[in-house]
Amino acid sequence: MTSRERVLAALSREPVDRTPCCNPTSLATVELMDLVDARFPDANRKGEQMARLAATGYTELGFDSVMPVFSIIQESSALGCLMQWEGKDNWPTVKMSQPIWREPDDISIPSNFLTHPDTQCVLEAIRILKKEFGEEVAVIGKTMGPWSLGYHCFGVERFLLMSHDDPGKTMVCLDKMKESTILFGQAQIEAGADALTLPDHATGDLVSGEYYERFLREMHTEFAAMLAVPLILHICGRTVDRMDGIARTGMAAFHFDSKNRPQESMEVVDSRIALVGNINNPETLFARSPEEVRVEVRENLDAGVQLIAPECAIPLQTSIENLKAIPESVREWHREKAVSVGS
Amino acid sequence: MAELVDLQNKFLRDELGEYVEEEAERQRMVDLYAETKLSMQNIAAAIIDGRHHDVDRLTREAIDDDVQALEVMDDGLIAGMALVGIKFRDNFIFVPEVLACARAMKAGMAHIEPILSASGIDPIGKVIMGTVKGDLHDIGKNLCIMMLRGAGFKVVDLGVDTSPDDFLEAVEEHGANLVGMSALLTTTMPNMGRTIEAFIDADLRDDVKVMVGGAPVTPEFADDMGADAYGADAVECVEIAKRLTEESASAHQ
Ligand code: B12
Ligand SMILES: [Zn+2]
């Protein structure tokens, strides 16, 4: 199988020759930026540099997919949020202390949303990657869900307080913002994306599982029906209490965090959705050695997790050695299995 | 020792019964509320339930009835926030609910603060809090600040993306004896160490205690950087702030 076939099969929970290594979120590191001469902030704003940095996920690290959106702010910038682009060694962010919207009526998707430089560069990067690697490697795009957009455009605390005080009004806001999710998703599919990550940070570190049911499950089901490629929902943090709802959305996969145990998570989703994950970032990938990475990879494989990945955007100072340990450990595990099945 | 049935406010009885699972902690909370007047229990209950209009009204009424401002703050507002912190720590409530409680606390403090500052009563300590340079995560830091204020500290909030110099200047300007730093990114955690170094370079390190926290920060990391304490959540933040304040007070005698 090619890497692309492997990823797409695993996303549909079909048989694969080996478990794919996937990156629904960023694999960018400062080391890789230097290696290919594509550094933040330009690598977040120029399609060609984005594509060059994203390609390293395949060419240098040996993953089965490439993903050119290293941040979560491209569409927020196109929606008009004030930005802090940062330098090489930090991710760009939205200045949430100066939110752009307060009321549902304020929400509008600008007519240049898809031609804005910060969404255009993503589309261009996907086109380049598709052309260069499209036969062999899965090209993954990313479109932000309305809950995460709410944090950026309303400010996190104000958005969360609104959800507490006035769930009805919050639903109206989500409903208007989901337009962005669909438009940007569709544009990336047209540009050649094989699958889309859909981050929507309704995490257990911030909100209850009941919130997921009340505000998002139906909307996520709608996305799965409307966007014609496999969707990978991304919510970091504790989520096992809402994985049952997530498994019922019809999305292809859920990208889960190391705060949830692989075995327990697999039991909860019960073959209704593929899981992608969940190698710990700050403690393992960032601070430990390949041996500890290997232990976590194997725990996921033993549990039957369909695609192996870091839990979220990896720390920018993560070593290449630790990242390479992910595909290496996957291959090793499969070799051992083959031997034990053969004997 | 008081018992749960001794509490006059039914809401408090129910909340403690349902949400405080650990025996010793529950006893501590029961004792805390049992010693207070019903009107104070009602304020605490309104805080816990996030009803800011009620807290506003009940606090004003208590002050009009000549209850001491300090008593309203300690027995009503702070006592209420103590249970909010526990419920959040144990995942019974989440950030939106805590934000609503924080708003209720603010509504009450609006009546208390002018009285306290007019009467010149000292806060139990002064804390400078900020999220370190390059980091814009502030939800956790803000919850810590709210709990610190709830516990009677005066807190100067430097916001997010705070440079070592900003921390230094704030300590000098406000004469604070305690600095709290928050970081949520592995890329920005080292800026805690850099800030501590800046205090050493400026010959101010011995004048302040430093506490650190944030999801990726570990006790070992805190130790390596030379921080005085690490706190895992907002409840611990208040505990260590109290401990460090006592330590620095006895050290300066
Ligand atoms: C909400 C969130 C955001 C919001 C932030 C909004 C805001 N105003 O704070 C938004 C969406 C804007 C955001 C942006 C980004 N984020 Co973010 N975010 C989160 C998320 C989902 C929750 C963090 C949170 O608020 N937790 C709840 C609070 C209550 O917990 P807490 O902060 O830990 O605080 C508690 C304790 O730690 C302690 N504490 C905290 N501070 C202090 C201080 C002291 C002195 C003490 C004693 C205690 C203490 O008490 C608090 C209360 O109990 C986490 C993932 C997760 N699930 O944890 C990622 C996460 C922190 N983000 C991450 C990333 C990568 C980013 C971005 C770079 C994304 C991107 N690719 O563009 C940007 C970076 C922005 C920047 N420059 O800072 C990564 C960090 C990876 C790493 N370790 O380096 C995380 C861990 C996700 C992941 N799994 O990888 N994010
Ligand atoms: Zn994430």
Side-chain angles (χ1 to χ4, degrees), chain A residues 214-225:
Chain A
R214 189 194 314 166
F215 291 110
L216 290 172
R217 190 168 63 79
E218 251 178 54
M219 213 168 272
H220 287 173
T221 308
E222 207 179 311
F223 291 141

Side-chain angles (χ1 to χ4, degrees), chain B residues 211-212 229-231 235-245:
Chain B
M211 57 178 181
V212 295
Y230 157 83
V235 176
E236 271 189 42
C237 180
V238 172
E239 284 164 10
I240 59 178
K242 283 184 178 160
R243 178 166 57 79
L244 293 175
T245 305

Side-chain angles (χ1 to χ4, degrees), chain A residues 90 93 157 165 206 238 315 317, chain B residues 91 95-96 103 134 136 142 186:
Chain A
N90 204 359
T93 45
E157 289 183 8
D165 294 342
L206 297 179
R238 291 181 314 238
Q317 271 77 10
Chain B
N91 299 324
V95 174
R103 181 175 52 190
L136 300 179
N142 292 351
T186 37

Side-chain angles (χ1 to χ4, degrees), chain A residues 84 89-91 93-94 156-157 160-161 163-165 204-208 211 238 282 286 315-317, chain B residues 50 88 91 94-97 99-100 103 134-136 138-139 142 161 185-189 215-216 218:
Chain A
Q84 186 162 321
D89 58 353
N90 204 359
W91 288 282
T93 45
V94 170
V156 183
E157 289 183 8
L160 291 178
L161 259 181
S163 72
H164 175 270
D165 294 342
D205 296 288
L206 297 179
V207 301
S208 66
Y211 254 58
R238 291 181 314 238
F286 174 65
L316 297 171
Q317 271 77 10
Chain B
F88 178 65
N91 299 324
F94 294 83
V95 174
E97 296 80 20
L99 291 174
R103 181 175 52 190
D135 203 321
L136 300 179
D138 65 357
I139 299 172
N142 292 351
D161 198 14
L185 298 171
T186 37
T187 47
T188 58
M189 262 164 39
T218 60

Side-chain angles (χ1 to χ4, degrees), chain A residues 189-206:
Chain A
I189 296 171
E190 276 164 35
D194 293 311
L196 291 173
T197 304
L198 200 151
D200 218 6
H201 295 93
T203 160
D205 296 288
L206 297 179

Side-chain angles (χ1 to χ4, degrees), chain B residues 147-223:
Chain B
M147 293 295 294
L148 285 168
R149 287 191 177 136
F153 283 90
K154 176 172 167 33
V155 184
V156 179
D157 181 5
L158 302 182
V160 297
D161 198 14
T162 312
S163 69
D165 283 348
D166 294 342
F167 278 108
L168 276 178
E169 275 167 29
V171 164
E172 293 196 301
E173 185 187 334
H174 300 279
N177 40 12
L178 185 54
V179 173
M181 288 185 269
S182 181
L184 267 281
L185 298 171
T186 37
T187 47
T188 58
M189 262 164 39
N191 292 336
M192 295 178 154
R194 285 184 197 125
T195 307
I196 294 176
E197 275 162 32
F199 274 96
I200 297 173
D201 294 345
D203 252 349
L204 281 174
R205 182 63 184 93
D206 293 338
D207 299 347
V208 290
K209 296 280 178 186
V210 177
M211 57 178 181
V212 295
V217 182
T218 60
E220 297 80 50
F221 184 82
D223 215 38

